[in-house]
Amino acid sequence: MMAAVEIRSALSALLKQHFPYAVYFTNNASADKGYFHIELAPKKHVVDRVIYEREIDVMMELVLPPDARGRIDRAKLYEAVDTLDAALLPVLTIGDRHITVQETSSRIVDEVLHYSFSIDFADAMPEEPVEMMGELSINGQTENMMEE
């Protein structure tokens, strides 16, 4: 099973490898340097008792500090889109898994880059420990169930 903390760690490591900006998963409105804000929206669909399908929508925002005149350099935002595409497409590696990213989306609103994509994969339910039966008595005959 892939935990959310693994996904967050992999995304943080990937962004820190390609960008000099901090990465946050919580609101950070007071940052005076450029930063990424990432939001994950997971969905699960149970297939059977063991397997379920997961879809996680990943939404990133890149917020850059204004220059001395109070403007944001849009060229840096467009370059960031190209860098993100090169880093994420076609495969995102999370731990020992390699997940194909089918599509990305980006737009700039109020001088903030909004970049999003989805990852789809199947996962296994965490196994619950099962208590083994020691002995079984049927019609006066006892069987040791631990021998197999």
Side-chain angles (χ1 to χ4, degrees), residues 6-19:
E6 286 181 86
I7 297 168
R8 289 194 310 263
S9 295
L11 290 172
S12 292
L14 180 76
L15 291 175
K16 288 178 182 179
Q17 182 180 4
H18 294 282
F19 295 97

Side-chain angles (χ1 to χ4, degrees), residues 53-94:
E53 294 174 348
R54 292 178 67 185
E55 177 183 345
I56 300 176
D57 294 328
V58 180
M59 292 146 294
M60 299 181 186
E61 296 173 352
L62 174 57
V63 180
L64 297 179
D67 62 10
R69 296 182 190 157
R71 297 180 297 193
I72 302 295
D73 185 1
R74 277 188 164 230
K76 288 183 180 178
L77 297 176
Y78 292 123
E79 289 172 14
V81 170
D82 293 339
T83 303
L84 286 167
D85 281 343
L88 291 167
L89 296 173
V91 175
L92 172 63
T93 301
I94 301 174

